Amino acid sequence: MTTITTHYINGEFIESHGRELMDIIKPTNGQVIARVTLGDEEDTRRAIAAAKRAFSSFGRTTKDERLRYLRQLHKAVSEHIDDLTAVMIEEYGGVARFARLIVESGVSAFAAAEKALQELPLRENWGKTTVTLEPVGVAGLITAWNANALFICLKLASAIAAGCTVVLKPSEMSSLQTRAMVEALHEAGLPKGVFNVVTGLGTVVGAEMVRNPDVAKISFTGSVAVGEQIMRDGAATMKRVTLELGGKSPTIVLDDAVLDKAIPAALILAFLNSGQACAAGTRLLVPKNRLAEVKRAIRDEMRNYTVGDPADPNIMVGPMVSQKQYERVESYIRKGVEEGAEVLVGGEGRPKGLEAGFFVKPTVFVDVKNNMTIAQEEIFGPVLSVITYDSEDEAIRIANDSKYGLHSAVMGTDLQRARRVASHLRAGRVVINNMSDDPQAPWGGFKYSGVGREYGRYGIEAFLEPKAILE
Ligand code: NAD
């Protein structure tokens, strides 16, 4: 069995000061596959001190030097796509086809940050005024478990581009994935102390980072509850915060949509990463007069949503990450039934033959009202709510009737109309007709979906402070 007893501080793997142990459980069968030693406040303070020392020189690096480091990071991680994918499948249960995409988008985050930094003026002059964009200082990066490789690379790339040094606290449930990633990043040869990693609990390591006056900024991906706490506790040391939180994203199928295209695309959005995705399109808004057709199209397409061993490239939905997450998803499916929604596909209980792991049945509810719990709360599992509307205005109103505003989608044939609907949606990102991506476009949420943006120049600016020098 693998054991991990070290953290990555000042360019070296050093023994943990914290002594608490945690088991890593394989989600396909519930077996213990590794044991990690969790860091404590002392480990965290050592990492912050290393980052602070490194900042005195790294904070003054030129754009060219940072571009070079980004290229080195890109090269180092590119060489490990296969092993990073394999460990995401093993530890997290990510389905093979999606796990690889996640890892690849993590790797390409370094190249995207390089391009964004090249195009971002770090100094501007007019008259006797000079404005420079300065790195904010030591950045604390705190991440969730559902796309570990991507979160680490994305946050690190923006921080390095800005000239910040970092302390990363990944989810303790991603310890094996983090170790593989840190070993790859180590090969990039960053100066000592620029990048430090402490694995441990959020309430111990994360809380120390939020409290510590030597950390200037927290970039967080996770739940709303923890995001709120970080904002509150960080206020005492005036932390800058970027918060990437949850979602309950709508997909609007307009009445001129071709269902043979729109429904498969909508289901991909809904069941992304086995439904454990912040951007998952978990509310499907369809015209009332097309409901019967929509139901038929969903039933047909759902036959492709096979559940099982995530290492099998034909599998579409893997296990939930943990027993706790399994129970959470099951409780929402129960709640949907209790509140009067109709189960079109799936339902409660483990799929046949998969009783040992944390597998749930991909579930589609119809007859859902937008005020039901399953339409308002983030489930973070493969559960889709189909909601009907009578008019375009009503579709927009329902889509925006959510505490969240992270992502949304519009499907339709008349592009002008789809664009008009998109312009009314209160979300950080709207995709039209498919799940397109652009690594230079901002990512982040309106309302409870967060504060601030990642990706491209928006992501780099989140680690910068403007400074004016006037003569
Ligand atoms: P979580 O909030 O429980 O944990 C996220 C991280 O915060 C973990 O590393 C955890 O250890 C740490 N943490 C916990 N308590 C803390 C504290 N008091 N102080 C500091 N850090 C603390 O979230 P999760 O269960 O790991 O992830 C699922 C959530 O993440 C979902 O709500 C999902 O929508 C969200 N998410 C958002 C995005 C996005 O880009 N917007 C992406 C992925 C996931």
Side-chain angles (χ1 to χ4, degrees), residues 143 145 151 169 172 220-223 244-246 278 378 443:
T143 57
W145 41 260
F151 301 146
K169 193 216 84 69
E172 56 280 13
F220 170 77
T221 297
S223 62
E244 295 291 348
L245 310 177
C278 52
E378 183 184 48
W443 174 271

Side-chain angles (χ1 to χ4, degrees), residues 158-330:
S158 297
I160 295 295
C164 290
T165 57
V166 311
V167 177
L168 164 74
K169 193 216 84 69
S171 170
E172 56 280 13
M173 280 151 68
S174 311
S175 297
L176 295 178
Q177 296 165 83
T178 300
R179 176 48 58 111
M181 177 59 79
V182 176
E183 283 173 359
L185 292 167
H186 177 69
E187 292 169 14
L190 290 183
K192 282 186 185 312
V194 167
F195 169 59
N196 306 275
V197 185
V198 181
T199 298
L201 299 178
T203 47
V204 178
V205 178
E208 174 62 29
M209 285 161 65
V210 172
R211 234 182 353 247
N212 197 298
D214 288 332
V215 176
K217 153 120 200 161
I218 297 285
S219 177
F220 170 77
T221 297
S223 62
V224 170
V226 175
E228 284 175 358
Q229 191 171 347
I230 288 175
M231 223 171 171
R232 212 170 29 239
D233 296 351
T237 48
M238 208 52 81
K239 291 278 186 293
R240 282 79 179 120
V241 290
T242 298
L243 304 175
E244 295 291 348
L245 310 177
K248 191 74 199 178
S249 301
T251 298
I252 300 180
V253 174
L254 294 172
D255 58 13
D256 66 349
V258 178
L259 292 188
D260 289 353
K261 283 191 189 153
I263 295 301
L267 295 181
I268 287 176
L269 275 166
F271 298 119
L272 214 59
N273 204 8
S274 308
Q276 298 177 128
C278 52
T282 50
R283 290 184 297 146
L284 181 60
L285 277 46
V286 303
K288 196 176 274 168
N289 60 7
R290 298 194 71 183
L291 180 62
E293 286 171 80
V294 166
K295 281 165 100 168
R296 255 194 318 275
I298 292 178
R299 264 204 218 93
D300 285 351
E301 187 63 19
M302 284 304 291
R303 295 202 179 94
N304 300 325
Y305 279 77
T306 44
V307 186
D309 179 1
D312 177 342
N314 297 315
I315 288 296
M316 293 288 278
V317 178
M320 300 296 91
V321 71
S322 62
Q323 174 70 23
K324 187 172 158 215
Q325 191 66 14
Y326 165 82
E327 284 164 12
R328 175 187 167 89
V329 175
E330 288 292 310

Side-chain angles (χ1 to χ4, degrees), residues 138-157:
V138 173
L141 315 180
I142 302 179
T143 57
W145 41 260
N146 61 317
N148 185 65
L150 170 60
F151 301 146
I152 293 179
C153 293
L154 179 60
K155 289 185 193 297
L156 180 64

